[in-house]
Amino acid sequence: MPIKILAFDTTTELCSVALMIDHHIYDHKIVASRRHSEEILPMINKLLAEAGVTLRSLDCIIFNRGPGSFVGIRIGICVAQGLALGADLPLVEVSSLVVLAQGAWRIFSIKQVISTIDARMGELYCARYYRMSDNSCWICYNEESIMTAETIATDLTCSTMLKGSWVLAGTGWNNYVVLKNIKINDTIFLRKIVMSPEAQDMLPLGAQRFRNKMFLTPKQAQPVYLRNKIVST
């Protein structure tokens, strides 16, 4: 059954909005730096007008729970809560790291992804994902965690579990020579891309969770930071 869903992301410097209306996708993105709170609502309203729909006519709102920028995550969740309350819509959460995996799949069609987001303090938010053979969902090999670039590089060069084609996707990894110039064994083919989570890649993930009735109320929407000590970003 066709669904109408809104997704938006404010967890990194990129600010993006996307709509799925009966399988047609509308999307818009800008580099907002620290202007997410000023840009996100006008972007949403503009996209709704472009698609010719109202917020109340949608089926759900998809928000990014993190990890990522502390301030950006809070902005996104507050906007999602406010819109959901005002339009009486359910919320669906997705992780910024699996959104990166979905984006890497969209670009490369490679089913194994290491997603990273700059966590500052010399660390990266990180998770490894595998796309099911029937393309139905992503499986996380390990829990989302905070890792150093050296640890990620060791996993890539020494782990016997990593074989075949992989993508190293996200932000932050390119700041570390150990990952930029990594030399891997012959059992791994590695593509690398600097990219941010995008709302358009939240749509298929959120649509699946919506169909599985994995809803949240505005009060249930909570951020995921992955660290107790917050760095201002």
Side-chain angles (χ1 to χ4, degrees):
M1 181 179 67
I3 56 176
K4 300 178 181 179
I5 52 179
L6 167 70
F8 53 88
D9 183 270
T10 57
T11 58
T12 65
E13 287 193 349
L14 192 71
C15 185
S16 60
V17 179
L19 272 170
M20 180 187 291
I21 308 294
D22 299 337
H23 303 298
H24 184 84
I25 294 175
Y26 304 80
D27 76 289
H28 182 52
K29 58 191 174 187
I30 62 170
V31 176
S33 296
R34 297 178 181 273
R35 304 190 318 277
H36 295 82
S37 59
E38 304 166 23
E39 300 285 355
I40 187 64
L41 285 174
M43 289 172 65
I44 290 172
N45 290 332
K46 182 178 179 180
L47 211 60
L48 289 169
E50 180 183 335
V53 297
T54 64
L55 189 65
R56 288 184 176 274
S57 70
L58 303 181
D59 294 301
C60 74
I61 296 171
I62 307 167
F63 73 95
N64 192 330
R65 62 173 174 76
S69 159
F70 169 73
V71 174
I73 294 169
R74 295 296 301 177
I75 290 170
I77 289 180
C78 287
V79 170
Q81 289 171 325
L83 294 177
L85 280 170
D88 193 25
L89 293 175
L91 292 173
V92 172
E93 67 173 6
V94 294
S95 160
S96 54
L97 294 172
V98 75
V99 174
L100 284 170
Q102 182 69 29
W105 162 255
R106 171 172 53 84
I107 295 168
F108 295 115
S109 297
I110 292 177
K111 295 187 175 186
Q112 299 183 111
V113 181
I114 298 174
S115 299
T116 70
I117 292 177
D118 190 359
R120 308 294 177 92
M121 299 174 67
E123 295 176 315
L124 298 164
Y125 302 119
C126 183
R128 297 186 310 189
Y129 293 96
Y130 170 74
R131 190 173 178 86
M132 294 290 287
S133 57
D134 60 0
N135 293 327
S136 60
C137 66
W138 290 94
I139 302 298
C140 190
Y141 277 107
N142 55 335
E143 290 186 357
E144 297 178 350
S145 60
I146 301 177
M147 303 174 72
T148 64
E150 289 75 17
T151 301
I152 296 171
T154 299
D155 279 353
L156 280 168
T157 54
C158 299
S159 175
T160 58
M161 293 178 60
L162 301 184
K163 296 180 181 179
S165 297
W166 284 82
V167 180
L168 176 60
T171 66
W173 66 263
N174 54 309
N175 296 330
Y176 300 93
V177 174
V178 69
L179 289 175
K180 286 178 68 174
N181 300 331
I182 191 168
K183 291 181 172 57
I184 53 179
N185 61 54
D186 294 338
T187 64
I188 303 174
F189 171 73
L190 182 68
R191 301 290 296 266
K192 294 182 282 188
I193 183 171
V194 177
M195 62 186 300
S196 295
E198 293 189 28
Q200 64 173 313
D201 297 313
M202 295 168 64
L203 292 172
L205 300 169
Q208 182 183 51
R209 294 176 72 88
F210 174 80
R211 293 188 181 99
N212 291 334
K213 302 187 184 304
M214 300 173 71
F215 308 134
L216 296 176
T217 66
K219 286 185 178 181
Q220 292 173 321
Q222 296 294 324
V224 171
Y225 300 125
L226 292 187
R227 70 151 40 111
N228 294 324
K229 184 175 181 179
I230 302 300
V231 180
S232 179
T233 54

